[in-house]
Amino acid sequence: IKTRESGHIQDVELNLDHIEGLGSFVEMEVMTNDVEKGRRHLRSIAVSLGIPDSQVVTVGYVQLVEDKM
């Protein structure tokens, strides 16, 4: 079961997800034609939210569930 709250910071869409059995996650998305610039921007938002690099997950929830099994 997944619950979600959504919002925005600047031009970044944020989704605060809680996945039963996995935990809580912040999903961030920015629309850009410059992938590297977008990654830097998302990283700066993550830093401002206090999210350390060690907590960044780049795979989807399905993969996390499969890895947990």
Side-chain angles (χ1 to χ4, degrees):
I1 297 174
K2 175 172 81 172
T3 59
R4 172 173 278 185
E5 293 182 48
S6 299
H8 287 85
I9 293 179
Q10 300 171 13
D11 58 342
V12 175
E13 180 181 343
L14 294 174
N15 294 303
L16 307 176
D17 294 341
H18 182 77
I19 311 298
E20 189 173 306
L22 281 180
S24 296
F25 299 86
V26 177
E27 184 178 272
M28 299 187 299
E29 183 176 2
V30 64
M31 300 301 288
T32 181
N33 291 325
D34 185 335
V35 173
E36 287 306 314
K37 182 178 177 183
R39 285 183 180 149
R40 286 191 304 272
H41 184 46
L42 291 176
R43 183 67 204 120
S44 71
I45 296 293
V47 166
S48 74
L49 294 172
I51 301 169
D53 286 338
S54 63
Q55 295 295 309
V56 173
V57 177
T58 59
V59 297
Y61 299 135
V62 171
Q63 183 66 46
L64 292 173
V65 169
E66 289 175 353
D67 290 349
K68 191 174 178 182
M69 293 181 162

